[in-house]
Amino acid sequence: MSTATSTPLTARRAWLALGAHYDAIRDVHLRELFAADPERGTRMTAEGASLFLDYSKHRATPETLSLLADLARECGLSERTKAMFSGEKINVTENRAVLHVALRAARGTTISVDGVNVVPLVHEVLDRMRAFTTAVRDGAWKGFTGRQIRNVVNIGIGGSDLGPAMAHRALAHYSKRDLTVRFVSNVDGTDFAEATRDLDPAETLCIVSSKTFTTIETMTNAARAREWLVGALGDERAVSRHFVAVSTNESAVRKFGIDPANMFGFWDWVGGRYSMDSAIGLSTMLAIGADNFDAMLGGLRAMDEHFRDTPFERNLPVIMGMLGIWYADFFGAQSAAVLPYDQYLARFPSYLQQLIMESNGKSVTLGGDRVRYATSPVIWGEPGTNGQHSFHQLLHQGTSLIPVDFIAFTKRLNPSAAQHDLLIANMLAQAAALAFGKTAAEVRAEGTAEALVAHRVFEGNRPSSVILGDKLTPATLGALIALYEHLVFTQGVVWGIDSFDQWGVELGKTLANRIAADLTPGADTTPLHDSSTNALISRYRAGRAQ
Ligand code: F6P
């Protein structure tokens, strides 16, 4: 590890300077900051990869931003970025490179892992995906009984579900509307049953998506899908026309009964939550076509280049990532909201929950020491304007400070212009209301009864970013995804944690396997867990038996 990462974060010069700066600025209101600088609303903005960021409504001054950039520099962000882009094994606990950027590298680029240029491998898979998805979309790929494929069921969980499910919804405008695409993730049998109840197996293609091909939920649902399909078509050989696999584990795919010729591979240097643009995106490509998928890769690449090549002071992921650190570690913010003002992005917050919280929900440093500062906040959100009639009350008048990312597009994809104007007006109104609020004097001036004044005051000073794109396209979606991927990376570097492992999911998996054994019919042994778990198992067994 370089000396850049060996000084404890809280002992760094920039961190200490930020602490002193926080004491000076903590009570300054955004109303004062805007009054002091009439240019603030245009000055505190940045652009990259076709996305525009307004960060003027943050409790930050140019000095804050410059100290945050200093902190990023002191923590070696440039060096770590170079290391990531050049295939170094920066996922230290799993001894792996972290190369989702190679998934969208242009043909002809060289990025090597262990001396092997991985870019040609990426394009070989992309070419196979293009040929396959074109054949399915054109009807050339037939089901076992000779019928055309009209339905696709992606079976996967976590990164093998959330990215594709989010992208399917986000890019519905560009999708082949007569191809039904469904997603099954939950081990709850209801998920598969409801996703397939109106589908004809003879016209259905199942994509079993799993990096490891060992995940219990996915393997259980895949087995169920095979029963459903073979049961209906009456022949095991149907599997070869109705099942494809996306995985890094060829032997497990073969063991499941899927011919490796129908497998689309990826690599251990692609983390599950960073894999939506790998072969894990097969359902996305089936829905939107290979050219649109290429355009999405172009958007991801544009943001990669912006992140890699732009000075921190104008770098979108760095600005947003460092502001996240400012709130989490200095203001004590424990959650952050992402509020897309675009119905197509309804699943974007869920996707970001895994991307951000599975990456940066850590409490030990790369070296294994307990961190002495907060790491990732809880990420949540819903599309506007729905949230306004539900949880925005808490954003405006609750006791917690919750920074918000608003996301919107200037052009609409559906009628009508007036509705789009109203949508955007609402977003701008929310951002302004959060920032500037309404004083007691303003409330009184409206003639409000004195007993209600306190209730009707909006203290304001609640920070937000506005991310504005021109239009939701495959390319802008790609840029948005990479923006958050690199934001996560930026924060992980500063916090000195491994953003690319996920050991915290293991204990529950192990315990579930043990408990599942106690729940199998006929298992009558006394369970050997804690008294609460034992009692619940007994109650469940008894209830199930009735
Ligand atoms: O359990 C967490 C996790 O490992 C995620 O990181 C991953 O995205 C998900 O499970 C699914 O894993 P796989 O693609 O190997 O089935």
Side-chain angles (χ1 to χ4, degrees):
M1 222 174 292
S2 75
T3 45
T5 56
S6 56
T7 309
L9 177 58
T10 51
R12 290 190 181 284
R13 202 178 35 77
W15 182 277
L16 297 172
L18 277 162
H21 176 65
Y22 169 73
D23 290 338
I25 199 181
R26 58 189 292 177
D27 296 323
V28 177
H29 201 286
L30 278 163
R31 285 193 285 255
E32 297 166 57
L33 294 175
F34 270 81
D37 177 8
E39 306 293 316
R40 187 177 166 96
T42 47
R43 209 197 305 278
M44 292 181 77
T45 61
E47 259 176 281
S50 85
L51 296 178
F52 175 82
L53 169 69
D54 175 347
Y55 60 95
S56 63
K57 295 192 206 70
H58 279 287
R59 291 170 69 170
T61 62
E63 187 188 352
T64 323
L65 270 301
S66 138
L67 288 172
L68 288 170
D70 286 348
L71 181 63
R73 266 185 286 275
E74 266 189 63
C75 293
L77 180 59
S78 300
E79 295 76 6
R80 303 296 291 162
T81 303
K82 270 194 205 101
M84 175 171 72
F85 276 78
S86 59
E88 273 182 44
K89 298 194 173 164
I90 61 167
N91 175 357
V92 292
T93 70
E94 296 180 320
N95 193 29
R96 287 177 179 165
V98 174
L99 271 182
H100 40 278
V101 294
L103 296 173
R104 52 263 192 166
R107 248 179 243 274
T109 317
T110 300
I111 302 178
S112 299
V113 179
D114 293 330
V116 176
N117 181 12
V118 297
V119 180
L121 308 179
V122 167
H123 283 275
E124 197 182 300
V125 175
L126 283 170
D127 290 345
R128 286 186 55 230
M129 288 168 66
R130 173 180 282 271
F132 175 72
T133 55
T134 305
V136 173
R137 286 164 61 91
D138 292 354
W141 177 282
K142 298 273 191 283
F144 184 64
T145 62
R147 303 255 287 278
Q148 195 172 327
I149 297 297
R150 295 183 201 284
N151 317 305
V152 173
V153 179
N154 184 78
I155 300 170
I157 196 164
S160 300
D161 166 72
L162 287 163
M166 175 277 291
H168 178 249
R169 183 82 72 93
L171 299 176
H173 183 77
Y174 304 89
S175 70
K176 184 171 158 57
R177 299 292 187 157
D178 58 355
L179 187 71
T180 300
V181 183
R182 302 258 168 88
F183 296 86
V184 175
S185 54
N186 199 336
V187 78
D188 181 345
T190 297
D191 203 7
F192 181 83
E194 287 295 337
T196 54
R197 67 198 303 272
D198 58 342
L199 303 186
D200 180 347
E203 299 181 341
T204 302
L205 175 77
C206 295
I207 306 175
V208 186
S209 297
S210 174
K211 179 175 171 181
T212 54
F213 230 73
T214 57
T215 305
I216 190 85
E217 291 91 339
T218 302
M219 292 302 106
T220 306
N221 279 319
R224 172 96 181 275
R226 190 168 53 191
E227 272 166 34
W228 172 75
L229 200 125
V230 173
L233 303 188
D235 196 322
E236 270 293 332
R237 288 173 305 164
V239 169
S240 67
R241 304 304 296 170
H242 293 271
F243 278 82
V244 296
V246 179
S247 187
T248 58
N249 186 349
E250 188 179 316
S251 62
V253 167
R254 203 189 287 273
K255 205 160 149 215
F256 180 83
I258 297 177
D259 184 344
N262 293 338
M263 165 177 166
F264 299 87
F266 61 115
W267 307 271
D268 72 355
W269 40 263
V270 183
R273 52 193 175 273
Y274 297 86
S275 67
M276 64 79 65
D277 50 332
S278 70
I280 289 290
L282 191 67
S283 60
T284 313
M285 196 188 274
L286 279 161
I288 64 173
D291 290 345
N292 278 321
F293 196 87
D294 262 358
M296 183 181 81
L297 296 180
L300 283 146
R301 183 163 61 241
M303 185 56 79
D304 293 343
E305 288 165 0
H306 168 82
F307 174 62
R308 191 191 56 200
D309 302 335
T310 310
F312 292 169
E313 288 75 4
R314 286 184 279 118
N315 192 312
L316 269 60
V318 176
I319 294 170
M320 288 179 61
M322 296 309 294
L323 282 168
I325 287 173
W326 178 229
Y327 293 116
D329 292 307
F330 294 90
F331 283 85
Q334 293 186 349
S335 89
V338 179
L339 309 178
Y341 274 64
D342 189 299
Q343 188 60 28
Y344 285 123
L345 291 182
R347 298 227 50 200
F348 197 60
S350 314
Y351 166 73
L352 289 185
Q353 284 182 322
Q354 187 200 11
L355 180 69
I356 300 178
M357 294 200 275
E358 201 176 64
S359 296
N360 284 345
K362 311 283 164 69
S363 51
V364 292
T365 64
L366 289 167
D369 299 320
R370 174 92 201 174
V371 298
R372 293 175 190 281
Y373 39 85
T375 59
S376 182
V378 173
I379 303 296
W380 57 282
E382 275 288 313
T385 55
N386 300 4
Q388 290 175 211
H389 298 272
S390 130
F391 53 77
H392 280 227
Q393 164 64 38
L394 182 148
L395 294 179
H396 289 287
Q397 289 188 318
T399 50
S400 310
L401 178 85
I402 303 175
V404 174
D405 289 352
F406 291 102
I407 304 171
F409 300 92
T410 54
K411 293 194 176 67
R412 67 194 159 82
L413 293 172
N414 287 301
S416 67
Q419 269 189 264
H420 193 66
D421 289 349
L422 197 52
L423 174 74
I424 302 303
N426 269 279
M427 181 194 72
L428 297 176
Q430 289 297 315
L434 285 168
F436 307 116
K438 198 183 203 182
T439 63
E442 286 167 334
V443 174
R444 283 196 187 95
E446 289 171 345
T448 305
E450 197 53 35
L452 283 183
V453 169
H455 296 278
R456 301 190 65 172
V457 165
F458 288 70
E459 63 190 24
N461 219 12
R462 298 179 180 228
S464 68
S465 294
V466 173
I467 300 161
L468 208 52
D470 178 48
K471 188 164 112 176
L472 179 55
T473 61
T476 46
L477 180 72
L480 204 52
I481 290 166
L483 166 63
Y484 280 94
E485 285 178 347
H486 297 314
L487 172 160
V488 167
F489 176 76
T490 298
Q491 295 186 335
V493 167
V494 173
W495 285 325
I497 55 180
D498 191 329
S499 301
F500 303 103
D501 61 15
Q502 55 285 318
W503 299 106
V505 301
E506 295 303 327
L507 178 60
K509 288 186 193 173
T510 314
L511 290 178
N513 284 337
R514 271 190 234 151
I515 294 171
D518 289 325
L519 299 185
T520 46
D524 54 1
T525 49
T526 311
L528 297 172
H529 308 280
D530 59 275
S531 62
S532 161
T533 308
N534 289 345
L536 289 166
I537 288 174
S538 302
R539 193 175 176 85
Y540 175 76
R541 280 178 181 166
R544 186 187 56 185
Q546 279 161 16

